[in-house]
Amino acid sequence: TSKKTQSDNSNIKTAGLDIPKDEADLLYTALVDSAIDNPTNTDYEKLRFAHAASSNYKPYADNEGLTKLRDLIKDEEYEVASEVLQTYYRTLFHDALFHYYAFVIWKNLEDEDMAKIHSYYYSKLIESIIQDKEGTSKKDAFIVINISEEYRVMEYLEMKMVEQNLIEDGLHSFDKIKA
């Protein structure tokens, strides 16, 4: 997989996308609105990269919202977790793990419609990484915006990591993963 790294450039250029940094926050908000209003007609790759270009992008920070949700699920506090979901809904919309947690929460609350939509978002976000790629070379790498996406892709493809090596290549970093 290849990790997108943020530079000081005025635009984020990666995966064929060119996102002006000064427009990224508005673009991210518009794409989240689009996904909520019309999930089947949203560019999930662009949504992920708009987040990566936004002022809220912190790829190496622990995410308080995801930690809260994980702990509430572990403690089977699904009602409280459903309220916490609303707090982080827009800021974590780009994150597949957020939608996986939402799926688990709504499934346990027996709200099949909500579980189904979050399962859909989860799949679309992961598929926006995989697309038509094999992930077997630098040229054909899965492009992720944070390390968590690497693990989500591995889970989605039902693969277990055996070995991982970081490879630096100019402005890009690649994780060579043996599964």
Side-chain angles (χ1 to χ4, degrees):
T1 58
S2 173
K3 292 186 201 87
K4 187 217 75 64
T5 55
Q6 197 166 16
S7 67
D8 292 331
N9 296 337
S10 61
N11 290 8
I12 299 299
K13 295 180 183 181
T14 188
L17 300 174
D18 187 2
I19 301 172
K21 285 173 92 175
D22 61 343
E23 296 175 18
D25 290 341
L26 289 174
L27 178 60
Y28 177 73
T29 299
L31 289 166
V32 169
D33 290 343
S34 170
I36 292 167
D37 294 342
N38 191 356
T40 60
N41 195 26
T42 298
D43 185 335
Y44 290 89
E45 179 184 45
K46 195 170 190 178
L47 185 148
R48 290 175 40 253
F49 283 108
H51 171 72
S54 77
S55 60
N56 293 317
Y57 182 60
K58 295 171 186 70
Y60 303 110
D62 287 337
N63 188 293
E64 177 184 338
L66 292 175
T67 301
K68 283 182 184 179
L69 290 170
R70 182 198 63 217
D71 292 346
L72 289 167
I73 290 168
K74 181 181 171 194
D75 294 340
E76 298 182 7
E77 301 262 353
Y78 302 115
E79 287 290 340
V80 175
S82 71
E83 294 169 19
V84 172
L85 281 174
Q86 299 312 310
T87 303
Y88 295 98
Y89 200 78
R90 290 183 168 280
T91 56
L92 291 177
F93 198 91
H94 67 279
D95 194 300
L97 185 58
F98 173 79
H99 292 288
Y100 173 76
Y101 287 163
F103 167 79
V104 170
I105 291 162
W106 293 118
K107 194 78 167 160
N108 279 283
L109 291 173
E110 299 180 1
D111 188 328
E112 293 300 320
D113 290 339
M114 291 299 288
K116 184 177 177 182
I117 191 63
H118 286 285
S119 176
Y120 180 83
Y121 290 142
Y122 173 85
S123 294
K124 287 308 210 180
L125 287 163
I126 298 300
E127 289 167 7
S128 78
I129 299 167
I130 298 169
Q131 295 182 24
D132 298 325
K133 298 180 177 135
E134 294 292 323
T136 56
S137 69
K138 290 178 190 177
K139 199 173 198 175
D140 196 35
F142 299 135
I143 300 172
V144 299
I145 63 170
N146 58 45
I147 294 169
S148 176
E149 286 189 340
E150 290 180 358
Y151 295 105
R152 302 298 77 77
V153 168
M154 296 288 291
E155 290 168 358
Y156 189 82
L157 296 174
E158 298 179 353
M159 301 174 89
K160 291 195 177 201
M161 186 181 309
V162 175
E163 185 179 325
Q164 181 176 10
N165 296 301
L166 181 63
I167 299 169
E168 299 287 338
D169 185 19
L171 295 175
H172 296 279
S173 298
F174 295 86
D175 272 340
K176 182 178 180 181
I177 298 174
K178 183 177 180 182

